[in-house]
């Protein structure tokens, strides 16, 4: 059975002709996309041959003719209408987008760090349609974006926490804010840091917006 995180990633994929599962490792995202009939073809991509071999072993024989396995860094000249780039650092995801000859129409991203930088990079070419915090043993950000000529603008809070988290906060997002608030307050009690204080201000602003929405 897929974890809540992997399930959410697959749920976010639009129906597409070619999906690139970049940084596929075990290949579960691409394999599920084939099994659910969400993608007609999947290009499994990983910089590590060893990881790619796992995806090839896990891919059921019935789908082998719809799958290809490419060992390379990022997308490069691979053409896909959708790309899932999940479970790696945000700066790596940005460098994969920057290095793509052709940007996929839709991207489903799950950066592990530097999430605001990913949002800032996305809005140069994409419109973010979903940006949700989920809890699955730890907190993860799941971002879906479509190529767009319209420049989307995000407030500082939206850049920090994600558009849909602010407009439609889920319980997982509220739990994340409360967890951050406790963590940052404990740090400030132990030592004084302007950076931590600024982060806490943003967390408390987001909590205040949510409180006002609930009134
Ligand atoms: C932690 S795994 C994530 C696997 C899967 N996408 C997930 O979300 O569960 C990260 C994978 O990304 C691969 N990777 C990291 N940087 C990459 C890059 N620039 N191009 C292709 N693969 C990369 C790693 O080799 C590793 O297999």
């Amino acid at each position: 059975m897929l974890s809540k995180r992997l399930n959410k990633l697959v749920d976010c994929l639009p129906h597409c002709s070619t999906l690139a599962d970049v940084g596929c490792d075990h290949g579960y995202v691409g394999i599920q996309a084939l099994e659910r009939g969400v993608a007609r073809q999947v290009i499994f991509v990983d910089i590590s041959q060893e990881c790619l071999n796992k995806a090839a072993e896990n891919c059921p024989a019935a789908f082998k003719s719809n799958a290809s396995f490419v060992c390379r860094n990022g997308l490069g000249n691979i053409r896909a209408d959708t790309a899932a780039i999940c479970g790696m650092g945000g700066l790596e995801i940005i460098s994969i987008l920057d290095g793509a000859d052709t940007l996929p129409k839709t991207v489903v991203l799950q950066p592990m760090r530097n999430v605001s930088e990913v949002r800032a990079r996305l809005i140069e070419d994409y419109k973010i349609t979903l940006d949700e915090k989920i809890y699955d043993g730890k907190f993860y950000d799941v971002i879906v974006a479509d190529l767009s000529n319209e420049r989307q603008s995000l407030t500082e809070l939206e850049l920090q926490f994600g558009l849909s988290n602010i407009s439609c906060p889920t319980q997982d997002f509220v739990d994340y804010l409360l967890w951050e608030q406790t963590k940052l307050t404990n740090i400030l009690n132990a030592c004084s840091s302007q950076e931590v204080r600024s982060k806490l201000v943003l967390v408390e602003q987001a909590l205040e917006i949510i409180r006002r929405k609930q009134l």
Side-chain angles (χ1 to χ4, degrees):
M1 211 182 76
L2 281 190
S3 65
K4 176 178 169 183
R5 176 186 72 90
L6 287 168
N7 217 19
K8 175 75 185 178
L9 296 173
V10 181
D11 283 348
C12 286
L13 294 170
H15 278 266
C16 58
S17 138
T18 304
L19 166 71
D21 181 358
V22 184
C24 62
D25 194 6
H26 38 66
Y28 292 152
V29 171
I31 292 168
Q32 265 298 302
L34 288 170
E35 287 186 333
R36 293 191 197 178
V38 168
R40 248 190 291 146
Q41 297 283 333
V42 174
I43 306 173
F44 294 87
V45 182
D46 207 289
I47 200 166
S48 145
Q49 184 63 52
E50 210 180 309
C51 293
L52 200 61
N53 291 347
K54 281 192 256 171
E57 276 162 29
N58 289 336
C59 185
F63 296 115
K64 281 275 162 65
S65 59
N66 304 86
S68 52
F69 300 87
V70 181
C71 185
R72 60 156 301 137
N73 178 356
L75 277 162
N77 62 0
I78 289 174
R79 279 176 173 263
D81 38 345
T82 302
I85 317 175
C86 303
M88 62 181 87
L91 300 181
E92 193 64 30
I93 291 178
I94 292 171
S95 107
I96 290 172
L97 293 175
D98 288 343
D101 290 355
T102 311
L103 285 170
K105 186 174 163 294
T106 303
V107 286
V108 175
L109 309 178
Q110 186 260 296
M112 301 296 294
R113 292 172 292 283
N114 299 100
V115 187
S116 353
E117 286 89 337
V118 171
R119 294 185 179 112
R121 168 63 186 88
L122 273 178
I123 60 175
E124 289 172 21
D125 292 294
Y126 286 89
K127 180 169 186 226
I128 297 172
T129 55
L130 179 130
D131 192 335
E132 206 178 304
K133 184 80 77 183
I134 61 157
Y135 183 76
D136 185 17
K138 55 185 179 174
F139 291 101
Y140 297 99
D141 291 278
V142 177
I143 304 177
V144 183
D146 290 326
L147 266 185
S148 170
N149 293 325
E150 272 173 51
R151 177 84 199 228
Q152 190 176 34
S153 71
L154 297 180
T155 64
E156 194 185 353
L157 278 185
E158 288 166 345
L159 260 184
Q160 187 65 34
F161 298 117
L163 189 71
S164 22
N165 283 319
I166 296 293
S167 59
C168 309
T170 59
Q171 188 57 50
D172 280 357
F173 179 56
V174 174
D175 290 346
Y176 165 77
L177 289 175
L178 294 172
W179 175 77
E180 273 285 298
Q181 187 184 38
T182 307
K183 186 182 79 182
L184 297 172
T185 306
N186 287 341
I187 296 174
L188 282 179
N189 286 339
C191 66
S192 147
S193 154
Q194 193 46 51
E195 195 192 336
V196 174
R197 191 161 292 114
S198 308
K199 280 188 186 168
L200 182 58
V201 167
L202 288 177
V203 167
E204 291 183 338
Q205 280 176 4
L207 282 167
E208 183 53 29
I209 289 176
I210 294 169
R211 254 181 231 120
R212 272 192 254 128
K213 272 184 200 291
Q214 288 167 344
L215 288 180

